[in-house]
Amino acid sequence: MADSAMDDRALLHLLSDGLYHSGSELGVSLGVSRAAIWKALKRLTDFNLKVDTVKGKGYRVIGGLDLLDSKIIQDHLSCEAQSLTDIELLLTVDSTNHYLTDASRISQKPYAVCLAEMQTAGRGRRGRSWFSPFGKNIYLSIGFDLPGGVEALSGLSLVIGLAAARVLRSQGVDNAMVKWPNDIWVDGKKLAGVLVELQGEATTGWRVVAGIGLNVEMTQAEGAGIDQLWASVSEYASCSRNKMVAMLLENLVQVLAIFKENGFEAFLMEWQQYDCLRGKSIVLSNSGIEGIAKGIDAFGALQVDTGVELLAVNAGDVSVRPNET
Ligand code: BTN
């Protein structure tokens, strides 16, 4: 392999055990010079990895790494989800959602999937950013076509959140709940968020890119800059990111097949079991309207009892009144 073609992923794989490796050992393993290893290690500083260098011992990534691995992900997929052959696994990208909305990457396959170890411009809902450090969490986007007009979209983002909540509960995060429309919360803290982005129009059908950001192993110190209460899966259960990705894909494919066929109504009962707002005093962020959350209707709209009327809210942010989280 030419030095310039050195694969950063292969180097990271060797360092993922968290042990010291000398420059010459790494060079021999990867078939490149020590200088190329040194250059590649410098590149890895872009990922903000804590690389420890000790003379006579070599280099190690402090704490090791649990890297995403397409083979392990595929091995965890059932036959039904084995049809997910278009899975792109990147070390770094601006945003996995943005990557899949690029016209040149629109796949002919039923689903296109993009995963990254880190995002440099991870997108959250309502123009916010999504904190996306290297190798800690899951940043997953899935792209697919959805025929039909505006009505075909109702409840779509809710079923994506539901798929994530199902996986979390099955993996031991027993209190995982959905906060309308599609945040995943546990014990009043945010564990995951969903961002659905659309291209197309009511007459031609939609190209959907749905992204899930799930905190898996990020410590409170690592995520200190996040401006809301949040949690990681590792605080509740132990599960490898690869297995978690496979289970997310599996559930996404399953719920989307039913959603395409039967719409949101097929999930209404199940969604209500994950609803963390029901019965709580809430405030609608856009309007400041207050009321009691009364679940959702057949289209996925949040029902809010204001004391005067029962409002159906289709979009927006909701906050729970402070003494109620
Ligand atoms: C939210 O604000 O709650 C939504 C967060 C969505 C983050 C995910 S991470 C994978 C995908 N790529 C992005 O840029 N955003 C979504």
PDB file of all heavy atoms in Angstrom, residues 109-132:
ATOM      1  N   LYS A 109     -31.664   1.455  -4.339  1.00  0.00           N
ATOM      2  CA  LYS A 109     -32.098   0.406  -3.407  1.00  0.00           C
ATOM      3  C   LYS A 109     -33.248   0.951  -2.549  1.00  0.00           C
ATOM      4  O   LYS A 109     -33.394   2.153  -2.399  1.00  0.00           O
ATOM      5  CB  LYS A 109     -30.928   0.023  -2.497  1.00  0.00           C
ATOM      6  CG  LYS A 109     -29.648  -0.293  -3.251  1.00  0.00           C
ATOM      7  CD  LYS A 109     -29.306  -1.759  -3.094  1.00  0.00           C
ATOM      8  CE  LYS A 109     -28.171  -2.206  -3.998  1.00  0.00           C
ATOM      9  NZ  LYS A 109     -26.916  -1.521  -3.790  1.00  0.00           N
ATOM     10  N   PRO A 110     -34.051   0.058  -1.951  1.00  0.00           N
ATOM     11  CA  PRO A 110     -35.163   0.578  -1.145  1.00  0.00           C
ATOM     12  C   PRO A 110     -34.694   1.492  -0.019  1.00  0.00           C
ATOM     13  O   PRO A 110     -35.356   2.467   0.311  1.00  0.00           O
ATOM     14  CB  PRO A 110     -35.837  -0.671  -0.591  1.00  0.00           C
ATOM     15  CG  PRO A 110     -35.095  -1.849  -1.085  1.00  0.00           C
ATOM     16  CD  PRO A 110     -34.042  -1.403  -2.039  1.00  0.00           C
ATOM     17  N   TYR A 111     -33.542   1.192   0.563  1.00  0.00           N
ATOM     18  CA  TYR A 111     -33.028   2.033   1.644  1.00  0.00           C
ATOM     19  C   TYR A 111     -31.544   2.314   1.440  1.00  0.00           C
ATOM     20  O   TYR A 111     -30.793   1.412   1.084  1.00  0.00           O
ATOM     21  CB  TYR A 111     -33.186   1.340   3.003  1.00  0.00           C
ATOM     22  CG  TYR A 111     -34.623   1.089   3.379  1.00  0.00           C
ATOM     23  CD1 TYR A 111     -35.177  -0.172   3.246  1.00  0.00           C
ATOM     24  CD2 TYR A 111     -35.412   2.130   3.850  1.00  0.00           C
ATOM     25  CE1 TYR A 111     -36.506  -0.402   3.569  1.00  0.00           C
ATOM     26  CE2 TYR A 111     -36.740   1.914   4.170  1.00  0.00           C
ATOM     27  CZ  TYR A 111     -37.279   0.646   4.031  1.00  0.00           C
ATOM     28  OH  TYR A 111     -38.595   0.438   4.349  1.00  0.00           O
ATOM     29  N   ALA A 112     -31.148   3.565   1.694  1.00  0.00           N
ATOM     30  CA  ALA A 112     -29.722   3.903   1.747  1.00  0.00           C
ATOM     31  C   ALA A 112     -29.426   4.266   3.199  1.00  0.00           C
ATOM     32  O   ALA A 112     -30.231   4.959   3.842  1.00  0.00           O
ATOM     33  CB  ALA A 112     -29.436   5.092   0.855  1.00  0.00           C
ATOM     34  N   VAL A 113     -28.307   3.787   3.711  1.00  0.00           N
ATOM     35  CA  VAL A 113     -27.984   4.053   5.114  1.00  0.00           C
ATOM     36  C   VAL A 113     -26.608   4.689   5.202  1.00  0.00           C
ATOM     37  O   VAL A 113     -25.683   4.277   4.498  1.00  0.00           O
ATOM     38  CB  VAL A 113     -28.002   2.735   5.932  1.00  0.00           C
ATOM     39  CG1 VAL A 113     -27.522   2.977   7.361  1.00  0.00           C
ATOM     40  CG2 VAL A 113     -29.393   2.118   5.940  1.00  0.00           C
ATOM     41  N   CYS A 114     -26.476   5.700   6.025  1.00  0.00           N
ATOM     42  CA  CYS A 114     -25.163   6.297   6.283  1.00  0.00           C
ATOM     43  C   CYS A 114     -24.943   6.372   7.792  1.00  0.00           C
ATOM     44  O   CYS A 114     -25.825   6.830   8.540  1.00  0.00           O
ATOM     45  CB  CYS A 114     -25.097   7.688   5.661  1.00  0.00           C
ATOM     46  SG  CYS A 114     -23.534   8.524   6.017  1.00  0.00           S
ATOM     47  N   LEU A 115     -23.762   5.912   8.202  1.00  0.00           N
ATOM     48  CA  LEU A 115     -23.359   5.978   9.610  1.00  0.00           C
ATOM     49  C   LEU A 115     -22.005   6.654   9.668  1.00  0.00           C
ATOM     50  O   LEU A 115     -21.194   6.496   8.758  1.00  0.00           O
ATOM     51  CB  LEU A 115     -23.171   4.560  10.156  1.00  0.00           C
ATOM     52  CG  LEU A 115     -24.432   3.756  10.394  1.00  0.00           C
ATOM     53  CD1 LEU A 115     -24.155   2.282  10.168  1.00  0.00           C
ATOM     54  CD2 LEU A 115     -24.925   4.000  11.808  1.00  0.00           C
ATOM     55  N   ALA A 116     -21.745   7.386  10.738  1.00  0.00           N
ATOM     56  CA  ALA A 116     -20.418   7.995  10.867  1.00  0.00           C
ATOM     57  C   ALA A 116     -19.941   7.897  12.302  1.00  0.00           C
ATOM     58  O   ALA A 116     -20.744   7.863  13.241  1.00  0.00           O
ATOM     59  CB  ALA A 116     -20.469   9.453  10.433  1.00  0.00           C
ATOM     60  N   GLU A 117     -18.617   7.850  12.446  1.00  0.00           N
ATOM     61  CA  GLU A 117     -18.036   7.840  13.800  1.00  0.00           C
ATOM     62  C   GLU A 117     -18.137   9.222  14.432  1.00  0.00           C
ATOM     63  O   GLU A 117     -18.205   9.348  15.637  1.00  0.00           O
ATOM     64  CB  GLU A 117     -16.562   7.430  13.746  1.00  0.00           C
ATOM     65  CG  GLU A 117     -16.306   5.996  13.300  1.00  0.00           C
ATOM     66  CD  GLU A 117     -16.678   4.966  14.359  1.00  0.00           C
ATOM     67  OE1 GLU A 117     -17.190   5.329  15.429  1.00  0.00           O
ATOM     68  OE2 GLU A 117     -16.469   3.773  14.086  1.00  0.00           O
ATOM     69  N   MET A 118     -18.101  10.267  13.572  1.00  0.00           N
ATOM     70  CA  MET A 118     -18.293  11.622  14.111  1.00  0.00           C
ATOM     71  C   MET A 118     -18.935  12.510  13.049  1.00  0.00           C
ATOM     72  O   MET A 118     -18.864  12.192  11.854  1.00  0.00           O
ATOM     73  CB  MET A 118     -16.973  12.234  14.597  1.00  0.00           C
ATOM     74  CG  MET A 118     -16.057  12.771  13.527  1.00  0.00           C
ATOM     75  SD  MET A 118     -14.525  13.457  14.222  1.00  0.00           S
ATOM     76  CE  MET A 118     -14.963  15.162  14.455  1.00  0.00           C
ATOM     77  N   GLN A 119     -19.562  13.567  13.494  1.00  0.00           N
ATOM     78  CA  GLN A 119     -20.106  14.564  12.564  1.00  0.00           C
ATOM     79  C   GLN A 119     -19.505  15.920  12.934  1.00  0.00           C
ATOM     80  O   GLN A 119     -19.403  16.265  14.113  1.00  0.00           O
ATOM     81  CB  GLN A 119     -21.621  14.660  12.689  1.00  0.00           C
ATOM     82  CG  GLN A 119     -22.357  13.364  12.354  1.00  0.00           C
ATOM     83  CD  GLN A 119     -23.882  13.541  12.412  1.00  0.00           C
ATOM     84  OE1 GLN A 119     -24.551  13.413  11.411  1.00  0.00           O
ATOM     85  NE2 GLN A 119     -24.407  13.829  13.588  1.00  0.00           N
ATOM     86  N   THR A 120     -19.103  16.654  11.899  1.00  0.00           N
ATOM     87  CA  THR A 120     -18.534  17.972  12.177  1.00  0.00           C
ATOM     88  C   THR A 120     -19.606  19.062  12.184  1.00  0.00           C
ATOM     89  O   THR A 120     -19.372  20.161  12.686  1.00  0.00           O
ATOM     90  CB  THR A 120     -17.462  18.331  11.134  1.00  0.00           C
ATOM     91  OG1 THR A 120     -18.058  18.181   9.836  1.00  0.00           O
ATOM     92  CG2 THR A 120     -16.245  17.430  11.255  1.00  0.00           C
ATOM     93  N   ALA A 121     -20.768  18.760  11.593  1.00  0.00           N
ATOM     94  CA  ALA A 121     -21.874  19.734  11.600  1.00  0.00           C
ATOM     95  C   ALA A 121     -23.189  18.976  11.755  1.00  0.00           C
ATOM     96  O   ALA A 121     -24.097  19.096  10.915  1.00  0.00           O
ATOM     97  CB  ALA A 121     -21.856  20.558  10.318  1.00  0.00           C
ATOM     98  N   GLY A 122     -23.255  18.165  12.810  1.00  0.00           N
ATOM     99  CA  GLY A 122     -24.470  17.377  13.062  1.00  0.00           C
ATOM    100  C   GLY A 122     -25.661  18.310  13.231  1.00  0.00           C
ATOM    101  O   GLY A 122     -25.563  19.334  13.905  1.00  0.00           O
ATOM    102  N   ARG A 123     -26.764  17.951  12.588  1.00  0.00           N
ATOM    103  CA  ARG A 123     -27.942  18.825  12.616  1.00  0.00           C
ATOM    104  C   ARG A 123     -28.985  18.318  13.594  1.00  0.00           C
ATOM    105  O   ARG A 123     -29.300  17.130  13.601  1.00  0.00           O
ATOM    106  CB  ARG A 123     -28.627  18.831  11.254  1.00  0.00           C
ATOM    107  CG  ARG A 123     -27.786  19.316  10.125  1.00  0.00           C
ATOM    108  CD  ARG A 123     -28.584  19.027   8.855  1.00  0.00           C
ATOM    109  NE  ARG A 123     -27.953  19.538   7.676  1.00  0.00           N
ATOM    110  CZ  ARG A 123     -28.408  19.322   6.455  1.00  0.00           C
ATOM    111  NH1 ARG A 123     -29.495  18.595   6.264  1.00  0.00           N
ATOM    112  NH2 ARG A 123     -27.791  19.822   5.413  1.00  0.00           N
ATOM    113  N   GLY A 124     -29.533  19.242  14.372  1.00  0.00           N
ATOM    114  CA  GLY A 124     -30.657  18.901  15.236  1.00  0.00           C
ATOM    115  C   GLY A 124     -31.926  19.523  14.682  1.00  0.00           C
ATOM    116  O   GLY A 124     -31.911  20.178  13.630  1.00  0.00           O
ATOM    117  N   ARG A 125     -33.034  19.329  15.360  1.00  0.00           N
ATOM    118  CA  ARG A 125     -34.298  19.924  14.925  1.00  0.00           C
ATOM    119  C   ARG A 125     -34.252  21.432  15.135  1.00  0.00           C
ATOM    120  O   ARG A 125     -33.533  21.931  15.972  1.00  0.00           O
ATOM    121  CB  ARG A 125     -35.464  19.335  15.718  1.00  0.00           C
ATOM    122  CG  ARG A 125     -35.762  17.897  15.332  1.00  0.00           C
ATOM    123  CD  ARG A 125     -36.848  17.295  16.229  1.00  0.00           C
ATOM    124  NE  ARG A 125     -38.101  17.988  16.094  1.00  0.00           N
ATOM    125  CZ  ARG A 125     -38.830  18.447  17.106  1.00  0.00           C
ATOM    126  NH1 ARG A 125     -38.414  18.291  18.339  1.00  0.00           N
ATOM    127  NH2 ARG A 125     -39.968  19.055  16.891  1.00  0.00           N
ATOM    128  N   ARG A 126     -35.054  22.122  14.332  1.00  0.00           N
ATOM    129  CA  ARG A 126     -35.239  23.573  14.475  1.00  0.00           C
ATOM    130  C   ARG A 126     -33.923  24.347  14.411  1.00  0.00           C
ATOM    131  O   ARG A 126     -33.667  25.243  15.202  1.00  0.00           O
ATOM    132  CB  ARG A 126     -35.980  23.900  15.761  1.00  0.00           C
ATOM    133  CG  ARG A 126     -37.162  23.012  15.954  1.00  0.00           C
ATOM    134  CD  ARG A 126     -38.275  23.520  16.788  1.00  0.00           C
ATOM    135  NE  ARG A 126     -39.509  22.933  16.241  1.00  0.00           N
ATOM    136  CZ  ARG A 126     -40.400  23.583  15.515  1.00  0.00           C
ATOM    137  NH1 ARG A 126     -40.239  24.841  15.263  1.00  0.00           N
ATOM    138  NH2 ARG A 126     -41.449  22.969  15.028  1.00  0.00           N
ATOM    139  N   GLY A 127     -33.031  23.900  13.514  1.00  0.00           N
ATOM    140  CA  GLY A 127     -31.786  24.631  13.266  1.00  0.00           C
ATOM    141  C   GLY A 127     -30.726  24.467  14.343  1.00  0.00           C
ATOM    142  O   GLY A 127     -29.677  25.108  14.284  1.00  0.00           O
ATOM    143  N   ARG A 128     -30.995  23.606  15.322  1.00  0.00           N
ATOM    144  CA  ARG A 128     -29.983  23.429  16.371  1.00  0.00           C
ATOM    145  C   ARG A 128     -28.891  22.488  15.857  1.00  0.00           C
ATOM    146  O   ARG A 128     -29.044  21.821  14.845  1.00  0.00           O
ATOM    147  CB  ARG A 128     -30.631  22.836  17.630  1.00  0.00           C
ATOM    148  CG  ARG A 128     -31.527  23.835  18.349  1.00  0.00           C
ATOM    149  CD  ARG A 128     -32.030  23.250  19.648  1.00  0.00           C
ATOM    150  NE  ARG A 128     -33.034  22.251  19.419  1.00  0.00           N
ATOM    151  CZ  ARG A 128     -34.347  22.416  19.663  1.00  0.00           C
ATOM    152  NH1 ARG A 128     -34.792  23.545  20.154  1.00  0.00           N
ATOM    153  NH2 ARG A 128     -35.199  21.448  19.418  1.00  0.00           N
ATOM    154  N   SER A 129     -27.764  22.442  16.581  1.00  0.00           N
ATOM    155  CA  SER A 129     -26.728  21.498  16.174  1.00  0.00           C
ATOM    156  C   SER A 129     -26.792  20.267  17.085  1.00  0.00           C
ATOM    157  O   SER A 129     -27.388  20.325  18.167  1.00  0.00           O
ATOM    158  CB  SER A 129     -25.357  22.151  16.219  1.00  0.00           C
ATOM    159  OG  SER A 129     -25.130  22.651  17.496  1.00  0.00           O
ATOM    160  N   TRP A 130     -26.196  19.181  16.595  1.00  0.00           N
ATOM    161  CA  TRP A 130     -26.202  17.924  17.365  1.00  0.00           C
ATOM    162  C   TRP A 130     -24.761  17.562  17.686  1.00  0.00           C
ATOM    163  O   TRP A 130     -23.957  17.344  16.783  1.00  0.00           O
ATOM    164  CB  TRP A 130     -26.872  16.810  16.553  1.00  0.00           C
ATOM    165  CG  TRP A 130     -27.065  15.539  17.345  1.00  0.00           C
ATOM    166  CD1 TRP A 130     -26.331  14.400  17.241  1.00  0.00           C
ATOM    167  CD2 TRP A 130     -28.054  15.305  18.368  1.00  0.00           C
ATOM    168  NE1 TRP A 130     -26.800  13.463  18.131  1.00  0.00           N
ATOM    169  CE2 TRP A 130     -27.859  13.992  18.836  1.00  0.00           C
ATOM    170  CE3 TRP A 130     -29.076  16.070  18.920  1.00  0.00           C
ATOM    171  CZ2 TRP A 130     -28.655  13.426  19.832  1.00  0.00           C
ATOM    172  CZ3 TRP A 130     -29.862  15.503  19.917  1.00  0.00           C
ATOM    173  CH2 TRP A 130     -29.646  14.200  20.355  1.00  0.00           C
ATOM    174  N   PHE A 131     -24.455  17.531  18.949  1.00  0.00           N
ATOM    175  CA  PHE A 131     -23.080  17.271  19.399  1.00  0.00           C
ATOM    176  C   PHE A 131     -22.691  15.832  19.019  1.00  0.00           C
ATOM    177  O   PHE A 131     -23.377  14.878  19.407  1.00  0.00           O
ATOM    178  CB  PHE A 131     -23.036  17.483  20.921  1.00  0.00           C
ATOM    179  CG  PHE A 131     -21.661  17.432  21.500  1.00  0.00           C
ATOM    180  CD1 PHE A 131     -20.684  18.334  21.089  1.00  0.00           C
ATOM    181  CD2 PHE A 131     -21.344  16.492  22.465  1.00  0.00           C
ATOM    182  CE1 PHE A 131     -19.408  18.285  21.627  1.00  0.00           C
ATOM    183  CE2 PHE A 131     -20.071  16.443  23.017  1.00  0.00           C
ATOM    184  CZ  PHE A 131     -19.113  17.342  22.589  1.00  0.00           C
ATOM    185  N   SER A 132     -21.587  15.692  18.274  1.00  0.00           N
ATOM    186  CA  SER A 132     -21.301  14.390  17.663  1.00  0.00           C
ATOM    187  C   SER A 132     -19.834  13.982  17.773  1.00  0.00           C
ATOM    188  O   SER A 132     -19.112  13.886  16.773  1.00  0.00           O
ATOM    189  CB  SER A 132     -21.673  14.435  16.173  1.00  0.00           C
ATOM    190  OG  SER A 132     -22.959  14.957  15.960  1.00  0.00           O
TER     191      SER A 132
END
